[in-house]
Amino acid sequence: MNNKWWQKEVVYQIYPKSFYDSNNDGIGDIKGITSKLDYLKNLGITMIWICPIFKSPMDDNGYDISDYFDISEEFGTMYDLRELIDKAKEKNIKIILDLVINHTSDEHPWFKEALKNPESKYHDYYIFKNGKSVPNNWRSVFGTSVWEKVEDRDEYYFHAFGKKQPDLNWENPELRNELYKVVNKWLDFGIAGFRIDAITFIKKDLTFKSIEADGVDGMAKCTKVSRNQKGIDVFLKELRANTFSKYNCVTVAEAPGVEYDELSNFIGEDGYFSMIFDFKYADLDVKSGSEWFKRVNWTVKELNEKIMKSQISIQKTGWAANFIENHDQPRATTKYLIENERNNDAVKMLGAMYFFLRGTPFIYQGQEIGMINFERKSIGDFNDISSIDQYKRSIKEGFDEKDALHFINLRSRDNARTPFQWNNKKYAGFSTKKPWLKMNDSYININAESQIGKKDSIFEFYKSIINIRQNSKYSECLIYGKIEPIQTSDKTIGYIRHYNNIKIYCFFNFDNNETEEYFEGKYNETVLNNLDCEFIENGKLRLMPFQALMFTTI
Ligand code: NOJ
């Protein structure tokens, strides 16, 4: 694979509602992002991904778009976005937006027209079925049927996610062309590319037949029949040909359901996208990302195997988008470190482990200061629609309310969506008004102000790892170098990065105890150490609890 500009980037993901509120209405906004560009520049990131900012009734916090060409009022104006892009550019920071083209909001004019007038062309922009009863037993990603009845008509419409997110009918060429206009308009506006939402859902099994039930509700996950289905390649190739391929842009696809042996179509040299997120290890604590009540007791060894399998499969053909957090996941500190979530050494070790994998690293807002999950006491305290659904489903599956609450506290998407913790003052300096989502109480101790410039803080550690990747004599190796897994003890993750004649051994001890690890060759120079001690002999080293150690050999 030839080197590409986007391989060098370090991406920072912003959930705009919760980043910084510049006009004190309790909701984060675009001007808030602009006002924090210096903070991001200081951290060292080079590109920002902003979750959806378009007009939306916010049923799924912007992943339900009602106007692709305008900005949601609570986030600001088109002028604000222009200003953000320009100011970021002055600082050499690129902006990518979130592209949601599997579905719109039910308040999008196309859908409103489709409901009002079944004869209009917009009716075929969506997926409708006639009938007096629900067309099949497919369960949406957010629970309940994928079908919602149209009022006063014997007709149902399809939604893979929430009922206010009707799926677009990609079988319709006119609709597809409308979507390409959306994509090109924003690329022309000057953004560097897109993170692309739920793109593997655009093709459905057109038989729309019921399938074997997989839950007590008698329904079956729609992902089996409406994600990455046969024929999707035609749509994805056409999408690329009419849009992305005309620009020197980056495309990062959320493409769940893609198997490793299909990767070359997706991210190979002529693949549909620059890179895709792999969720196979992100969901290792649950049986599947849409069944939080099926908990799995995972081990570090399994995490190691899953990460390495992912890395090696991707390396064969393309490039990875590496992450440990995003707006749909719990905080990585709580998920991967469990009772050590507040141990700074452990948090840094975890950060370095994924950051130096082969691929473009993505940092989710707050990850760089070690934000943690937030336990809620009652279902009424949740905002996230999927948490509310998972709570109901857990109870249907036979768990009591206490268990159900426990499951969703561990997994809720609200964990990552609490307002950013800027300082230890009221509302953590996010806003002067009560925020749209309850603050995480941990802001008193975990906040940016107390970490910036403070030696040994998590923020300064992230700054240093970004600097090592971007600006050191090891940059080429750490960016473009191959990755190779190594044999380690069960509680350690280890890999080698190599490039030309540079070889960097990387070890990450996930345990509270010391471990002994082995390597080939002779120790040469330390590249990274999150502690201030190191015990390296010929071919052998001792790792202290939660130590991250990277060094070159000769
Ligand atoms: C994936 C997004 O990341 C998530 O937040 C959203 O709810 C669904 N797609 C539906 O758009």
Side-chain angles (χ1 to χ4, degrees), residues 39 72 78 112 164 186 189 233 276 311 317 325 401 419 422 446 468 479:
Y39 168 83
S72 187
M78 208 67 126
K112 284 196 190 158
K164 283 182 69 64
W186 285 107
F189 194 79
D233 52 322
I276 63 173
Q311 285 276 301
T317 179
E325 287 190 14
E401 289 176 5
W422 292 103
I446 303 174
I468 292 173
I479 296 172

Side-chain angles (χ1 to χ4, degrees), residues 60 63 100 103 142 161 165 195 197-198 254 327-328 413 417:
D60 190 16
Y63 284 94
V100 188
H103 45 269
F142 294 159
F161 294 90
Q165 296 166 296
R195 176 269 188 183
D197 188 65
E254 188 200 34
H327 64 294
D328 292 332
R413 307 194 299 175
R417 298 176 180 186

Side-chain angles (χ1 to χ4, degrees), residues 15-19 26-29 58 61 74-75 383 430 436:
Y15 200 65
K17 256 188 134 169
S18 300
F19 189 58
I27 302 172
D29 42 54
M58 296 287 160
N61 290 329
E74 58 252 80
F75 292 144
N383 167 276
F430 162 74
W436 70 279

Side-chain angles (χ1 to χ4, degrees), residues 130-372:
N130 287 324
K132 288 198 182 302
S133 57
V134 181
N136 62 32
N137 73 341
W138 300 1
R139 185 192 309 109
S140 68
V141 176
F142 294 159
T144 69
S145 170
V146 295
W147 300 103
E148 188 65 21
K149 180 150 178 350
V150 176
E151 231 179 70
D152 303 329
R153 280 209 298 267
D154 287 336
E155 201 182 23
Y156 290 79
Y157 70 84
F158 180 99
H159 58 90
F161 294 90
K163 65 176 183 198
K164 283 182 69 64
Q165 296 166 296
D167 278 46
L168 288 161
N169 176 19
W170 272 70
E171 305 294 331
N172 178 338
E174 188 181 330
L175 171 267
R176 298 203 298 273
N177 275 318
E178 287 298 319
L179 295 176
Y180 304 152
K181 284 187 205 153
V182 172
V183 176
N184 293 336
K185 137 101 207 219
W186 285 107
L187 289 170
D188 290 335
F189 194 79
I191 60 167
F194 293 104
R195 176 269 188 183
I196 305 163
D197 188 65
I199 197 68
T200 36
F201 282 85
I202 60 175
K203 179 82 189 177
K204 309 349 181 201
D205 172 350
L206 298 177
T207 66
F208 290 105
K209 277 197 193 130
S210 282
I211 53 173
E212 198 188 326
D214 59 19
V216 294
D217 55 5
M219 290 194 269
K221 273 187 225 141
C222 73
T223 48
K224 296 174 183 161
V225 271
S226 48
R227 194 177 71 180
N228 198 20
Q229 295 297 294
K230 211 164 161 242
I232 194 171
D233 52 322
V234 178
F235 294 159
L236 294 178
K237 268 185 209 148
E238 189 189 275
L239 167 65
R240 177 174 183 257
N242 284 281
T243 58
F244 314 138
S245 70
K246 301 182 177 176
Y247 299 79
N248 185 18
C249 66
V250 62
T251 52
V252 190
E254 188 200 34
V258 175
E259 297 305 327
Y260 289 139
D261 60 8
E262 299 173 285
L263 278 177
S264 67
N265 294 338
F266 281 79
I267 53 167
E269 197 58 52
D270 292 315
Y272 320 129
F273 307 111
S274 314
M275 49 187 134
I276 63 173
F277 295 113
D278 181 8
F279 295 96
K280 295 195 177 63
Y281 60 90
D283 290 334
L284 92 169
D285 60 328
V286 281
K287 184 115 187 287
S288 86
S290 58
E291 290 166 311
W292 300 348
F293 47 87
K294 294 189 181 163
R295 298 286 312 165
V296 171
N297 280 327
W298 58 276
T299 62
V300 175
K301 191 165 185 273
E302 283 158 3
L303 176 63
N304 189 5
E305 284 163 3
K306 285 194 161 129
I307 290 179
M308 288 308 146
K309 187 167 179 200
S310 168
Q311 285 276 301
I312 299 306
S313 314
I314 294 172
Q315 174 164 266
K316 275 190 200 141
T317 179
W319 192 250
N322 296 321
F323 70 101
I324 47 172
E325 287 190 14
N326 66 34
H327 64 294
D328 292 332
Q329 292 282 331
R331 288 290 178 180
T333 45
T334 314
K335 179 167 68 180
Y336 295 114
L337 302 173
I338 313 171
E339 69 272 22
N340 294 300
E341 63 179 5
R342 284 180 190 254
N343 178 327
N344 281 5
D345 295 339
V347 176
K348 292 175 190 170
M349 180 280 301
L350 173 66
M353 184 281 294
Y354 97 97
F355 194 83
F356 291 108
L357 294 170
R358 182 178 170 277
T360 299
F362 284 67
I363 300 171
Y364 179 71
Q365 65 181 45
Q367 180 187 322
E368 77 280 16
I369 55 167
M371 281 178 68
I372 56 178

